[in-house]
Amino acid sequence: MKVAGAVVDVSNVCWSDALPPTGRHFPLLERVFLVRDAWHRQYGQRAPLTLVADNSLRRQLSAEDQERLRRLEQEVELHFAKTADPTLLSLAERRGLHVISRDQFTDLRRDFPWIASAPARFLGWRTEAGTVRLEPSGIRPVSAQVVSRALEGKDLKFHQRLDHRNPVHKRILGHHWRCEDAGCLKALIWPDRLHDWPLLDARGVAVCTGCKGAVRRLGPRTRPRSFVVADARTGDEYLRFPVGEGDALEVGRGELRYGINLASTEVDAPADVNLVSRRHLMLSVERTSGNPRVGVLDLGSVNGTVLERANSAPRRLDAGESVTLREKDRLVLAGAVTLRLSGQQHFSDEQQQLPRLGAAGGGRTRMFLPEDADTSGV
């Protein structure tokens, strides 16, 4: 059987302590050769391999391995990138290649949706009696909320050097902060409290992102929730917005006193968004002793709100009916747009601001017709 080939996540392989010498977590180029040999044993000597590595790997390898890496560049197709994962996934998608990596690529599922539908193309490895064997890496579907949390974690680590899984860092994310340097531009703009999170310096101390000076911890942050709106036919996301803890807002079209205009000219709304009522539903985020409760109230919408819940048949909410929206639930508004919770867990002050959507897009609500029920694009 002819195999298209594979692309190797070189950094992931080099750092894997599941490859000999097992249990030792340091980058070793020899592991790439072990994976290469396993590939050729299982798929044939003619099955091609392409290598992709992070730029940082050049600095992380020993001097001896750096020299071996330079020689390897002359012998095989080897790409370097600031971040290897998007490059290797693009190559795999274009060429129909296998991917050799133990990464689940959770933070890249939005950009590369084909990952979940092609688990057989993703190979990991195991070592038995000193012999390396390739096997399915266990790629599995993940919810949109899990993807959101992965992207949030990646962004926090890159910009603030904060790991949301670290208990100390989590406390930083859960509080407001004030810059103590009166001469700092950010302190002048936001004298009461910073609108973003502190940055961790090289010592692991929280400092102002502007002046890198000392910050004072203030009170705890509230816990808003973020909502995602998409075209019901195509599944394409076109709007995100927050609802603060203890707040409620309307979702509909046109001018709303305090709400979200789904038909705004500021967003790429679907053509049939006029099926959504001008005052369609209300969302609320209620304080509780645990996680905030998200409530949905249908405001007597003309074309209805359908609740989709795992292991349950979709059902239309009655006018005036209030339900709790669970993490993986989805609402379908008038068959035109969908609304769900994002997985985002931490919000700066700036991220709690509602988008400016204007009052355009009001007008008469179009009645739902049988042909509007075609959602084959989802």
Side-chain angles (χ1 to χ4, degrees), residues 252-292:
R253 290 185 297 109
E255 187 173 3
L256 298 166
R257 180 180 297 179
Y258 184 65
I260 293 295
N261 176 12
L262 299 182
S264 170
T265 54
E266 300 297 318
V267 296
D268 189 19
D272 53 359
V273 71
N274 58 355
L275 290 166
V276 174
S277 294
R278 283 177 288 181
R279 297 180 66 245
H280 197 100
L281 58 78
M282 180 174 288
L283 295 172
S284 61
V285 178
E286 303 172 16
R287 292 186 177 94
T288 68
S289 58
N291 291 324

Side-chain angles (χ1 to χ4, degrees), residues 104 106 109 115-117 119 137-143:
Q104 286 285 314
T106 304
R109 296 294 183 96
I115 293 173
S117 61
S137 64
I139 287 287
R140 57 191 179 276
V142 294
S143 70

Side-chain angles (χ1 to χ4, degrees), residues 207-220:
V207 297
C208 174
T209 56
C211 67
K212 307 300 186 290
V215 291
R216 179 185 295 275
R217 190 174 73 177
L218 305 176

Side-chain angles (χ1 to χ4, degrees), residues 44-301:
Q45 290 296 323
R46 292 190 175 185
L49 274 182
T50 301
L51 309 182
V52 181
D54 296 309
N55 289 337
S56 59
L57 185 66
R58 296 180 188 270
R59 303 186 302 273
Q60 295 165 342
L61 291 171
S62 67
E64 180 182 353
D65 271 354
Q66 288 179 34
E67 179 57 35
R68 294 180 75 190
L69 187 64
R70 282 190 286 270
R71 292 198 300 270
L72 189 62
E73 283 186 83
Q74 309 303 314
E75 300 169 6
V76 300
E77 183 181 356
L78 174 55
H79 302 266
F80 281 92
K82 183 177 180 180
T83 305
D85 291 353
T87 299
L88 70 91
L89 290 171
S90 294
L91 283 171
E93 184 174 18
R94 290 200 308 271
R95 301 181 188 178
L97 304 175
H98 285 72
V99 175
I100 300 179
S101 175
R102 280 192 158 190
D103 199 331
Q104 286 285 314
F105 303 106
T106 304
D107 59 315
L108 291 165
R109 296 294 183 96
R110 284 185 198 163
D111 295 332
F112 299 94
W114 64 272
I115 293 173
S117 61
R121 285 169 58 186
F122 289 81
L123 301 174
W125 49 81
R126 59 184 168 89
T127 303
E128 289 185 353
T131 300
V132 175
R133 182 168 182 81
L134 301 179
E135 60 185 10
S137 64
I139 287 287
R140 57 191 179 276
V142 294
S143 70
Q145 288 80 12
V146 170
V147 175
S148 289
R149 283 193 285 273
L151 287 167
E152 178 185 27
K154 183 178 180 180
D155 188 64
L156 286 170
K157 187 171 288 187
F158 181 78
H159 292 290
Q160 262 73 34
R161 302 175 190 156
L162 292 170
D163 183 351
H164 65 290
R165 297 165 298 185
N166 181 305
V168 175
H169 296 188
K170 198 169 182 177
R171 283 196 292 273
I172 292 174
L173 292 167
H175 285 79
H176 291 288
W177 297 82
R178 182 174 63 226
C179 179
E180 297 288 88
D181 186 346
C184 172
L185 179 60
K186 287 199 170 186
L188 290 171
I189 297 173
W190 301 311
D192 295 328
R193 68 187 190 196
L194 294 171
H195 281 205
D196 58 4
W197 288 291
L199 169 75
L200 280 191
D201 66 10
R203 301 165 298 164
V205 175
V207 297
C208 174
T209 56
C211 67
K212 307 300 186 290
V215 291
R216 179 185 295 275
R217 190 174 73 177
L218 305 176
R221 291 181 180 273
T222 58
R223 298 170 296 171
R225 293 306 306 264
S226 178
F227 296 82
V228 181
V229 183
D231 185 328
R233 293 179 184 272
T234 65
D236 293 338
E237 175 188 326
Y238 75 90
L239 177 64
R240 287 183 177 234
F241 62 90
V243 178
E245 187 177 17
D247 288 347
L249 58 75
E250 292 182 351
V251 175
R253 290 185 297 109
E255 187 173 3
L256 298 166
R257 180 180 297 179
Y258 184 65
I260 293 295
N261 176 12
L262 299 182
S264 170
T265 54
E266 300 297 318
V267 296
D268 189 19
D272 53 359
V273 71
N274 58 355
L275 290 166
V276 174
S277 294
R278 283 177 288 181
R279 297 180 66 245
H280 197 100
L281 58 78
M282 180 174 288
L283 295 172
S284 61
V285 178
E286 303 172 16
R287 292 186 177 94
T288 68
S289 58
N291 291 324
R293 175 189 176 272
V294 178
V296 179
L297 172 68
D298 185 277
L299 297 174
S301 59

